[in-house]
Amino acid sequence: MILVDFEKGKRKMVTIGSVRTNSGGTHGSAYILFGTNDGKYKIVFDDPKNYKYNITNKENANIIFVNPKR
């Protein structure tokens, strides 16, 4: 279990059930996808401006951008 704090003041424990990385997505950014008991979280290692959204595919994960160039 890990402690998540995505919103200030709203900490809780979640259980990670699955982890996967890039699967040849069309968005062109490196990512890690965590499946938890509280939904999916996609950690994208790129600037949000560079992320190419696929309008034909509904995103089922909460996306968190981490810009490695900062």
Side-chain angles (χ1 to χ4, degrees), residues 45-60:
F45 299 97
D46 204 350
D47 191 293
K49 297 174 193 169
N50 298 332
Y51 190 81
K52 299 175 186 85
Y53 289 93
N54 182 348
I55 60 171
T56 61
N57 185 27
K58 182 182 178 223
E59 185 64 65
N60 293 319

Side-chain angles (χ1 to χ4, degrees), residues 2 5-6 8 13-14 18-20 31 33-35 41-42 45-46 48 50-51 53 59 64 67:
I2 61 169
D5 187 16
F6 297 122
K8 189 174 182 178
M13 298 295 287
V14 296
S18 64
V19 177
R20 72 176 175 87
Y31 71 89
L33 181 71
F34 293 96
Y41 295 91
K42 182 184 278 187
F45 299 97
D46 204 350
N50 298 332
Y51 190 81
Y53 289 93
E59 185 64 65
I64 301 166
N67 190 348

Side-chain angles (χ1 to χ4, degrees), residues 11-50:
R11 293 183 178 189
K12 60 183 169 181
M13 298 295 287
V14 296
T15 302
I16 296 176
S18 64
V19 177
R20 72 176 175 87
T21 60
N22 294 41
S23 62
T26 58
H27 48 72
S29 301
Y31 71 89
I32 299 173
L33 181 71
F34 293 96
T36 73
N37 62 321
D38 189 41
K40 294 180 181 177
Y41 295 91
K42 182 184 278 187
I43 313 299
V44 178
F45 299 97
D46 204 350
D47 191 293
K49 297 174 193 169
N50 298 332

